[in-house]
Amino acid sequence: MIKVVVTGRGAISAIGNNVAENRQRLITGQTGLSKASKYFTSKFTESHPFGEIKMSDEEMLSSLAVPEMKGLTRTDLIAFKAFEEAIQEAGLDSDTLSHPRTGFISGSTVGGMVLTDQVFEDGSNRAQRTAFLESYDYCSHTLRIVEQYRIHGFTNTINTACSSSANAIMMGARLIRSGRADRVIVGGADSLAKFTVNGFNSLQILSEDLCRPFDANRKGLNLGEAAAYLVLESEACAKGKKIYGTVSGYGNSNDAYHASALSEDAVGVIACMRAALDHAGLEPAGIDYINAHGTATENNDLIEITGLGKLFGEHLPPFSSTKSFTGHTLAAAGALEAVYSLMSMEHGELYASLNCEQPISPLDELPIAAYQEQQEINAVLSNSFGFGGNCTSLVFKQHL
């Protein structure tokens, strides 16, 4: 079977405008969550922390090597930003990007909903609303990137809620392993939007305090915005390039339990993790670190830690939720945390779960409390669980 390797990474989030800045904040333990949102405004911005990217739309547009397009959303802009970093790191030129065996798969849930107010206000003016309508769909950022880089290979946009970009990674890896593509850029992007915030508030899972993943006294999640992409290539196509790791295993399941909650017996969580381990040819003891989904909601954290306990037992490795740094970035979360997982392996370091003090009863398992360096990390499991019970786990290994 063809080995799938990672040759490029790009990321922008509340803790950094590129991969290096993200890593630095993870090392120093500085969260990007605050109640001082500068560019995103809603009735909740003064009372709730958000993980806002520290760049305006104008700053992002001026930093991108793309022509000015009408109706670009913030989701489009952050997607371009992370995409450009990933392809530059992988050394992909225009001929390679437009090659029919180069694909692009991205995930998004927000898409152009960030421009809902503009669409509504311009609804009576047909001459003015066209650009906003073209950008409103959740797949608009994918279409913009395909247009700009003349991508002629397989393209797709995935919306499986919070597992969207993890599923994009899985799908891209499957295309390469089956010989249908030589390389696929995979990931996702979501910006902060009023519709999203109002929706999570209606579910009563939006916390007024900094989120506390895996803490017994957790009160809910904080939302964030981000974009992240990986360049996946077949090992044969990656000769001479720096390789950051391999996509060695993946599993997807659905516990078909509830529209916005996981089943109490963790059936979906366990099934996707076990499938990913089996696909990677690993026993539970072979995992050195788990980047958990860890949203800090009552249901998710309890079910995830229950599933981890059942599957790993006494071999439970160190785990953490980096959402305590970035907030829950929805469709971008799986790809962003994949970047963090690869950094963990490359540099031999473990990242903390901030704000966790008391373990969830009766399991009594605490996540990583502080940054740790000089660790031997050969395999990482990264979890992403979406609404509707769509659960995805990815296994990354050191390239040997």
Side-chain angles (χ1 to χ4, degrees), residues 46-352:
E46 293 185 1
S47 57
H48 292 67
F50 291 96
E52 182 184 58
I53 290 170
K54 310 304 188 287
M55 287 185 79
S56 68
D57 292 2
E58 292 73 22
E59 288 172 325
M60 273 189 277
L61 186 59
S62 65
S63 71
L64 295 171
V66 296
E68 186 172 349
M69 298 180 180
K70 293 182 178 179
L72 279 177
T73 69
R74 190 167 176 85
T75 303
D76 298 333
L77 292 169
I78 62 177
F80 269 113
K81 185 78 171 171
F83 183 93
E84 283 192 1
E85 183 182 15
I87 62 173
Q88 287 171 7
E89 186 172 69
L92 302 186
D93 58 23
S94 57
D95 289 340
T96 304
L97 287 168
S98 61
H99 194 281
R101 290 184 62 81
T102 297
F104 176 47
I105 306 172
S106 188
S108 187
T109 63
V110 173
M113 283 197 300
V114 68
L115 287 181
T116 297
D117 288 350
Q118 288 91 328
V119 172
F120 178 78
E121 290 168 3
D122 294 340
S124 60
N125 188 334
R126 292 182 180 274
Q128 294 296 321
R129 70 179 183 176
T130 305
F132 293 127
L133 288 176
E134 288 178 353
S135 298
Y136 195 72
D137 198 286
Y138 78 103
C139 68
S140 63
H141 74 286
T142 306
L143 298 176
R144 300 280 191 174
I145 289 173
V146 167
E147 176 187 355
Q148 170 64 21
Y149 291 99
R150 296 178 175 84
I151 297 173
H152 296 147
F154 181 93
T155 61
N156 196 10
T157 308
I158 294 177
N159 184 349
T160 54
C162 311
S163 60
S164 298
S165 58
N167 283 329
I169 294 170
M170 180 174 67
M171 187 176 191
R174 292 180 66 185
L175 287 172
I176 295 170
R177 285 173 66 93
S178 64
R180 291 180 172 88
D182 292 332
R183 70 195 57 78
V184 187
I185 302 99
V186 293
D190 263 340
S191 58
L192 288 166
K194 292 179 183 178
F195 268 33
T196 316
V197 173
N198 292 344
F200 277 90
N201 182 67
S202 70
L203 293 172
Q204 300 180 13
I205 56 174
L206 200 64
S207 175
E208 294 183 359
D209 302 320
L210 291 176
C211 65
R212 307 166 69 88
F214 299 110
D215 189 276
N217 299 311
R218 62 199 181 280
K219 296 180 180 180
L221 57 78
N222 304 141
L223 287 172
E225 58 184 357
Y229 290 100
L230 304 178
V231 176
L232 307 184
E233 299 192 71
S234 69
E235 190 175 33
C237 290
K239 286 183 178 179
K241 294 186 177 184
K242 181 172 181 177
I243 293 174
Y244 297 95
T246 64
V247 183
S248 299
Y250 36 77
N252 176 259
S253 66
N254 196 300
D255 59 13
Y257 174 74
H258 189 274
S260 60
L262 297 168
S263 59
E264 293 180 2
D265 55 4
V267 59
V269 169
I270 294 171
C272 72
M273 291 192 294
R274 179 176 286 126
L277 290 173
D278 289 346
H279 193 259
L282 291 175
E283 295 297 325
I287 295 295
D288 301 305
Y289 165 58
I290 299 171
N291 189 299
H293 189 54
T295 60
T297 59
E298 182 177 354
N299 172 263
N300 179 92
D301 287 10
L302 175 60
I303 304 311
E304 185 169 15
I305 198 73
T306 298
L308 291 173
K310 288 183 177 181
L311 181 60
F312 287 90
E314 63 183 17
H315 299 294
L316 181 63
F319 68 96
S320 66
S321 170
T322 46
K323 290 181 176 66
S324 54
F325 288 85
T326 65
H328 191 351
T329 58
L330 304 181
L336 183 64
E337 291 158 23
V339 171
Y340 295 167
S341 297
L342 292 162
M343 290 194 304
S344 177
M345 285 197 308
E346 180 188 5
H347 301 287
E349 53 196 18
L350 298 173
Y351 310 122

